[in-house]
């Protein structure tokens, strides 16, 4: 391991901790009143067993709790999760309404996602834009996915099976083909003539919202954006993509996928980009977190994705650029939370340049 990557080890844990250190606490009384006001809920509503996860969720406030309330004349106790805006948001264009509505569509299709319950889009009830969802039983995910969470203390064989199942989910999502008729709210995400352009433009706007106009760090992002728009391939119409497919957003139970979490970056596009992020993080997290055995190869990931999708991956070499481009944009959005921003920026930028050079060999300069 180089001195550079050794210095970056623990980056994800440090970033999450730095972000969460400034998050406000949600008001439990206001949250209880919000739940009590929902149709079919009978008071009184009492909340208990509060837990604030510390190893995941850098861009949102997250509160786990138990709610006791009445429904149809009977008292009930249910475990729930509140996801809320953390004051100063890392992702400037974040929409809690969009994320909630996307979860509604995915849940209706029977996908393994938490059941979305209630939305406070403007924060007028709870105090922050937020929504409440049912809590899934399982091992909590962790941003440092090899040293903590469900992938940490398992055999290499079990680790590989779990990681392949996570990739398979994105193939299944492609097969489901949840389109714009079920997700009309995502049509307003970004501007452009194609699904590819809209998504790239959304992230470029995110980077610019967090940078001065003359920031030199915008230059490689703009250059990559320009090339990707000019060389975008002809592809199928975009359908639902989760948008942040790192396995740190997957909850497992008894070694099997229980739920896919964190749909705030969902968009209408092409699931091959999410597959590319899984493949990329599988190897880079061995440098940024810890080395482990029993991880799938790129070929194994592709085979599982295509099996679940029921179709071959399209323009995978082009979509390998998506997660690297997006990572640079998000790094600018969250630079104030990053304890080793310059080193991380340089590390990921080198990967973007290398992948862009590879794409140019295939698609032209």
């Amino acid at each position: 391991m180089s001195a550079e990557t050794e210095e970056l080890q623990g980056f994800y844990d440090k970033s999450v901790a730095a972000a969460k250190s400034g998050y406000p606490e949600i008001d439990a009384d206001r949250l209880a009143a919000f739940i009590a006001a929902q149709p079919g809920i009978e008071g009184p509503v009492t909340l208990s067993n509060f837990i604030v996860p510390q190893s995941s969720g850098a861009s949102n406030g997250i509160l786990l709790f138990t709610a006791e309330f009445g429904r149809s004349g009977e008292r009930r106790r249910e475990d729930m999760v509140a996801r809320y805006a953390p004051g100063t948001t890392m992702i400037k264009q974040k929409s809690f309404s969009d994320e909630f509505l996307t979860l509604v569509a995915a849940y209706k299709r029977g996908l393994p996602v938490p059941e979305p319950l209630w939305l406070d889009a403007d924060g007028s009830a709870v105090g922050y834009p937020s929504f409440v969802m049912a809590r899934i039983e399982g091992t909590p995910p962790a941003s440092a996915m090899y040293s903590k969470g469900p992938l940490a203390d398992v055999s290499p064989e079990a680790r590989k099976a779990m990681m392949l199942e996570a990739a398979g989910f994105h193939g299944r999502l492609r097969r489901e083909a949840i389109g714009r008729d079920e997700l009309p709210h995502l049509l307003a995400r970004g501007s452009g003539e194609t699904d590819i352009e809209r998504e790239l433009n959304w992230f470029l706007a995110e980077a610019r919202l967090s940078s001065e106009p003359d920031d030199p760090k915008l230059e490689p992002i703009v250059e990559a954006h320009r090339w990707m728009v000019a060389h975008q391939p002809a592809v199928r119409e975009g359908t639902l993509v989760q948008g942040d497919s790192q396995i740190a957003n997957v909850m497992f139970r008894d070694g099997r996928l229980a739920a896919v979490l964190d749909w705030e970056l969902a968009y209408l596009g092409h699931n091959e980009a999410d597959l590319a992020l899984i493949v990329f993080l599988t190897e880079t997290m061995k440098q940024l977190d810890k080395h482990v055995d029993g991880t799938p190869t790129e070929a194994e990931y592709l085979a599982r994705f295509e099996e679940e999708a029921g179709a071959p991956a399209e323009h995978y070499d082009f979509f390998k650029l998506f997660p690297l481009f997006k990572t640079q944009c998000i790094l600018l959005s969250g630079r104030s939370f990053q304890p080793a921003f310059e080193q991380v920026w340089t590390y990921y930028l080198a990967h973007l340049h290398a992948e862009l050079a590879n794409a140019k060999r295939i698609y032209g300069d």
Side-chain angles (χ1 to χ4, degrees):
M1 179 184 298
S2 69
E4 177 188 14
T5 54
E6 187 172 2
E7 184 178 358
L8 288 175
Q9 276 208 316
F11 153 72
Y12 278 90
D13 264 354
K14 293 173 185 174
S15 297
V16 171
K20 286 184 173 292
S21 66
Y23 285 3
E25 292 184 5
I26 201 165
D27 187 315
D29 291 336
R30 293 184 68 170
L31 179 60
F34 170 67
I35 294 172
Q38 302 307 311
I41 299 297
E42 301 162 1
V45 173
T46 58
L47 308 183
S48 61
N49 302 329
F50 300 106
I51 301 173
V52 178
Q54 296 300 318
S55 59
S56 61
S59 60
N60 294 277
I62 300 173
L63 178 68
L64 312 183
F65 63 95
T66 300
E68 184 175 344
F69 55 90
R71 178 175 278 166
S72 302
E74 295 183 357
R75 297 295 293 174
R76 306 178 62 161
R77 285 174 59 87
E78 295 186 9
D79 292 330
M80 299 180 179
V81 181
R83 187 166 166 88
Y84 64 98
T88 302
T89 56
M90 180 184 300
I91 300 173
K92 308 299 185 292
Q93 301 171 93
K94 159 83 179 189
S95 168
F96 279 84
S97 178
D98 282 1
E99 184 176 8
F100 182 83
L101 293 172
T102 299
L103 273 175
V104 169
Y107 185 79
K108 284 182 177 178
R109 281 293 194 99
L111 292 170
V113 299
E115 180 184 4
L117 298 174
W118 309 294
L119 170 68
D120 181 15
D122 62 1
S124 58
V126 176
Y128 305 97
S130 57
F131 61 84
V132 176
M133 54 189 172
R135 197 189 319 177
I136 301 290
E137 218 179 293
T139 305
S143 295
M145 69 180 189
Y146 291 145
S147 58
K148 298 180 180 179
L151 297 181
D153 298 317
V154 294
S155 70
E157 295 77 18
R159 183 178 294 114
K160 175 178 280 193
M162 293 163 72
M163 297 178 81
L164 285 173
E165 188 176 11
F169 169 83
H170 297 282
R172 176 186 172 186
L173 189 56
R174 175 181 163 178
R175 186 199 290 264
E176 288 288 337
I178 304 175
R180 53 201 69 207
D181 56 330
E182 296 175 68
L183 301 162
H185 56 283
L186 292 183
L187 289 172
R189 179 187 167 90
S191 60
E193 296 182 3
T194 67
D195 295 312
I196 288 175
E197 284 181 43
R198 281 191 290 274
E199 185 64 3
L200 292 176
N201 288 344
W202 191 92
F203 269 90
L204 182 59
E206 187 68 26
R208 284 177 165 154
L209 286 169
S210 304
S211 309
E212 295 297 326
D214 59 351
D215 188 338
K217 285 187 167 53
L218 284 173
E219 294 176 11
I221 292 176
V222 171
E223 177 190 350
H225 174 274
R226 186 182 299 117
W227 186 91
M228 293 172 74
V229 169
H231 294 82
Q232 58 182 301
V235 287
R236 66 189 185 276
E237 182 174 89
T239 54
L240 178 60
V241 181
Q242 190 259 354
D244 189 7
S245 59
Q246 55 179 312
I247 297 177
N249 284 329
V250 177
M251 181 171 281
F252 291 89
R253 181 171 58 247
D254 299 326
R256 300 299 305 274
L257 187 150
V260 176
L261 312 174
D262 196 347
W263 291 73
E264 67 181 332
L265 296 177
Y267 65 102
L268 292 168
H270 306 88
N271 311 88
E272 287 81 355
D274 270 2
L275 173 65
L277 178 59
I278 291 177
V279 172
F280 175 72
L281 288 178
T282 293
E283 295 306 315
T284 57
M285 287 300 288
K286 292 177 183 177
Q287 298 176 324
L288 299 181
D289 183 20
K290 64 177 286 189
H291 181 83
V292 295
D293 296 319
T295 59
T297 64
E298 184 173 47
E300 288 171 325
Y301 273 134
L302 273 164
R304 182 60 175 268
F305 176 89
E306 292 177 340
E307 177 187 350
E308 296 287 350
E314 292 184 27
H315 293 284
Y316 176 66
D317 287 299
F318 177 85
F319 286 112
K320 285 167 79 170
L321 282 168
F322 257 57
L324 296 170
F325 170 79
K326 292 181 177 185
T327 295
Q328 297 305 114
C329 294
I330 291 297
L331 282 173
L332 291 185
S333 294
R335 72 174 93 188
S336 62
F337 300 111
Q338 310 294 350
F341 170 76
E342 291 295 340
Q343 296 97 315
V344 174
W345 171 266
T346 300
Y347 176 83
Y348 279 111
L349 185 60
H351 284 283
L352 174 60
H353 284 158
E355 205 58 63
L356 183 57
N358 180 63
K360 286 180 177 180
R361 285 192 290 270
I362 298 170
Y363 294 93
D365 287 331

